[in-house]
Amino acid sequence: MKNSLVRKEYSPLVSDGNRRDTLKIAIQKSGRLYEDSVKLLKDCGIDLKNGLNRLKTEAENFPMEIYFLRDDDIPQYVEDAVAHIGIVGENIVFEKNKQVDIVEKLGFSKCRLSVAVGRNEKYEETSFLNNKRIATTYPLLVKQFLEKNKVQAEIHEISGSVEIAPGIGLSDAIVDLVSSGSTLFMNGLKEVETILESQAILIKNRELDKTRQQLLEKFLFRIRAVKKAKNNKYILLNAPNEKLKEIISLLPGMKSPTVLPLAEPGWSSVHSVLNENDFWDIIEKLKEAGAQGILVVPIEKMIV
Ligand code: ATP
Ligand code: MG
């Protein structure tokens, strides 16, 4: 039902049989960004056609073509307008330093680019790195970091498995992506500096035509609704009428909470929206104030 409505709005072919203008998006072909990128499209109501082609596909119900690429290549493709927009980590965008615009932080694939040294080293400040060898796949970001801290060190650019470099005597320190730190730990390393906090972002070509810009705005409107929904929960609870005032004062809601009478006299049902960050705090206070039968449900989309 939902799909048929959307399809009516977009017919992929114009009368002369040519494809309508589509927004081309580049996402990672496989790896840590892939699943969340596809999920974001799905959450935005964009369904991908299943085909055997692992290089590109198209959306069934939105004028979009999806290109599957290595994440390192995405900024270049977007700069060249081979893809109009792309989803990639900030770490790659800043390292590749291409002429693209950042449109939106997407809130997934969070990690940091950090300096790590042997667990037993006495690292106190960046001057420790003077005259040391640093292995990394991020030569530009490391160079900028060293310059900013006035450190002279040798950068060894390698293409992967950076964490083993100190163990095999290739370097004294590394700069690599870290999330939990378990890879560093397993390789006898410790994290000593953070160069960059990173997450997945949406980037765009700098010279989009009007049609593409409009499609991007449509897509962005959906992304923001999805992001907002993720950070909020819908809450329903029962409250004795004499406690309503106190309970309502604890609930922000989108405008103000909805209050409906229950079949049982003297009781009301209160509905509202809560931000994930304040959630536990507020729930405790609601209970203390006399709320009962509290239900918390996820929100799929949120448009304010
Ligand atoms: P490709 O084959 O596309 O070049 P890759 O091996 O370079 O893939 P992945 O390991 O899949 O890249 O990581 C892709 C991106 O995911 C990174 O550039 C970074 O933004 C993010 N990322 C990396 N490590 C983590 C992590 N441990 N936790 C969360 N996100 C991460
Ligand atoms: Mg890569």
Side-chain angles (χ1 to χ4, degrees):
M1 178 67 188
K2 203 171 98 199
N3 281 350
S4 64
L5 279 179
V6 181
R7 269 193 203 109
K8 215 181 267 173
E9 179 194 331
Y10 166 62
S11 149
L13 297 178
V14 288
S15 52
D16 61 2
N18 286 323
R19 279 203 63 84
R20 225 187 249 274
D21 289 340
T22 56
L23 185 65
K24 296 180 186 170
I25 183 170
I27 64 173
Q28 194 189 21
K29 187 181 163 90
S30 64
R32 290 188 146 109
L33 292 160
Y34 171 77
E35 275 181 22
D36 284 327
S37 304
V38 172
K39 182 165 184 303
L40 178 71
L41 295 178
K42 194 170 176 353
D43 290 346
C44 288
I46 299 173
D47 300 324
L48 307 194
K49 278 190 186 157
N50 277 331
L52 290 176
N53 192 340
R54 286 292 295 140
L55 178 64
K56 72 173 189 175
T57 186
E58 57 199 52
E60 288 187 355
N61 49 3
F62 193 84
M64 182 180 268
E65 279 177 78
I66 299 93
Y67 287 72
F68 301 103
L69 301 167
R70 284 202 59 199
D71 67 343
D72 314 60
D73 299 333
I74 291 176
Q76 182 73 63
Y77 279 103
V78 172
E79 179 181 298
D80 296 344
V82 174
H84 303 114
I85 58 174
I87 295 177
V88 68
E90 287 174 292
N91 51 309
I92 293 290
V93 175
F94 295 134
E95 174 64 29
K96 299 295 173 187
N97 202 19
K98 300 291 174 197
Q99 302 296 306
V100 296
D101 285 341
I102 293 175
V103 185
E104 183 85 357
K105 295 198 183 216
L106 300 174
F108 58 84
S109 293
K110 288 190 176 164
C111 58
R112 50 197 188 274
L113 187 68
S114 291
V115 182
V117 299
R119 198 180 300 152
N120 300 323
E121 300 284 2
K122 288 209 166 32
Y123 184 100
E124 274 163 10
E125 50 184 25
T126 49
S127 61
F128 172 95
L129 297 168
N130 264 319
N131 305 315
K132 299 277 197 307
R133 296 163 303 163
I134 305 173
T136 189
T137 52
Y138 295 87
L140 178 66
L141 292 176
V142 176
K143 182 167 168 278
Q144 289 169 349
F145 170 78
L146 295 177
E147 278 169 7
K148 198 174 111 208
N149 289 283
K150 302 193 169 47
V151 172
Q152 294 279 343
E154 209 178 294
I155 301 172
H156 277 261
E157 184 180 352
I158 55 179
S159 60
S161 303
V162 175
E163 65 283 356
I164 64 167
I168 58 173
L170 184 72
S171 75
D172 309 297
I174 65 165
V175 170
D176 203 9
L177 292 177
V178 183
S179 54
S180 68
S182 60
T183 307
L184 294 182
F185 184 81
M186 281 190 301
N187 287 281
L189 300 170
K190 64 177 176 189
E191 190 178 354
V192 291
E193 301 277 352
T194 301
I195 295 186
L196 175 78
E197 301 270 0
S198 177
Q199 60 175 284
I201 53 174
L202 185 71
I203 55 171
K204 75 170 188 86
N205 176 273
R206 290 210 166 145
E207 278 147 26
L208 291 187
D209 60 33
K210 198 162 155 243
T211 313
R212 271 45 178 260
Q213 187 62 38
Q214 281 169 348
L215 287 173
L216 170 59
E217 271 153 33
K218 214 167 162 180
F219 180 42
L220 203 53
F221 176 77
R222 297 187 187 190
I223 290 178
R224 289 181 178 150
V226 168
K227 268 174 63 181
K228 220 171 169 75
K230 251 185 218 141
N231 294 330
N232 288 280
K233 299 270 182 271
Y234 193 74
I235 177 169
L236 302 94
L237 58 87
N238 295 331
N241 286 347
E242 68 273 15
K243 295 284 176 60
L244 263 181
K245 209 168 163 209
E246 187 184 350
I247 288 176
I248 287 171
S249 72
L250 294 166
L251 292 168
M254 296 232 292
K255 250 197 171 58
S256 74
T258 308
V259 181
L260 302 164
L262 285 190
E264 190 177 326
W267 283 79
S268 296
S269 166
V270 181
H271 300 203
S272 188
V273 172
L274 275 190
N275 189 286
E276 185 100 293
N277 297 331
D278 315 323
F279 182 74
W280 289 111
D281 214 28
I282 294 184
I283 293 282
E284 273 173 30
K285 289 186 182 144
L286 287 170
K287 278 193 73 177
E288 277 167 30
Q292 292 184 12
I294 303 177
L295 292 181
V296 178
V297 283
I299 301 172
E300 198 180 289
K301 311 274 187 306
M302 190 164 153
I303 293 126
V304 287

